[in-house]
Amino acid sequence: MIETLLTTRDLPGSALAQLLETRDASLAQRLKDCARKRCLEVKGPQVLIRALIEWSNVCRNDCLYCGIRRSRTDVPRYSLSPDQIFECCDKAWRDGVQTFVLQGGENPAAALGLVPVVREIHKRWPQAAITLSLGELPFETYAALKEAGANRYLLRHETANPKHYVSIHPEGMRLETRLACIRELKRLGYETGMGMMVGSPGQTTEDLVQDLRLMQEMGPHMIGMGPFIPQDNTPLESYPAGSAETTLRLIAILRLMFPEANIPATTALATLLPGGKLSGIQAGANVIMNVYTPQAERKKYDLYKGKSDV
Ligand code: 5AD
């Protein structure tokens, strides 16, 4: 099964489900070892470090799982000033980190306001890659940010099952809208990232297989996934967390399906599993995102409970 996945980059849905669900620990270990080996062959021995700058937790959305959802009134809101953002970039650059990831809540007016900031970052650090993660925005804003110098955009699809998507999002949000944004980002020439939460309430193994199929269809350059982690004072606060082991197996499967993709070992994985970033690398991930958000604001970017800030 693993051999077939390695050589054909694909498997029937039933076999993918089996790899995700198996209790055979040695099979799971062979999957991760194979993915790690493939990663070393294709991407080389480097682990890429990104500087994550959580620039604002102001969000217009009300996603049921998310700790910075609009109706969560117990989180103080902040936005970094342009100078604070430049300071984060400066610190990262001096550390040798050449990719800046500007992430924030979905806020179209503020995103438009970032255009001159992105332009300035591009001017000051022309060699750096600028990655954005700012949610669903008007296509003109995506275009303006691209023109200002942004190269990459992360927009997780969260789940490929449209009904499941509706069940964990507020009224009016639809998977189709999200996918239209992802297609537009690709069309504009962004390197584009997708990904899902693993084990969000109501998700089945069949849904995860659907996630893999969707990504095969869309061809993302980057794939970010983490386990769902319940957050206090959100509608999903009393649901159980997703599985770190399933997340690791998905990383491994995705490395074999998309050998060239950049796949991070995410903070959510590390939050649930001690040493999770290393485990992610050992399962085929090749990217680590290091938090460069100023210390004073870090705990306000409170996506899920116990969020690790390294
Ligand atoms: N658990 C895990 N991941 C979460 N995210 C948001 N809330 C949670 C949560 N409770 C992830 C989503 C989103 C990214 C910014 O953070 O996948 O795309």
Side-chain angles (χ1 to χ4, degrees), residues 22 43 48 55 64 74-75 77 102 123 135 142 173 196-197 224 233-234 239 244 275 307:
T22 185
K43 307 296 290 182
L48 306 171
W55 93 276
L64 275 62
D74 54 326
V75 203
R77 302 290 164 163
L102 278 182
K123 197 171 126 198
Y142 287 150
M173 272 183 83
M196 61 284 191
M197 268 183 307
N233 300 319
T234 66
Y239 284 85
K307 180 169 162 274

Side-chain angles (χ1 to χ4, degrees), residues 65-67 103 156 158 197 227-231 268 303-304:
Y65 44 83
C66 185
Q103 186 174 83
R156 291 187 180 175
E158 312 295 358
M197 268 183 307
F228 163 73
I229 301 173
Q231 177 56 291
L303 296 176
Y304 42 79

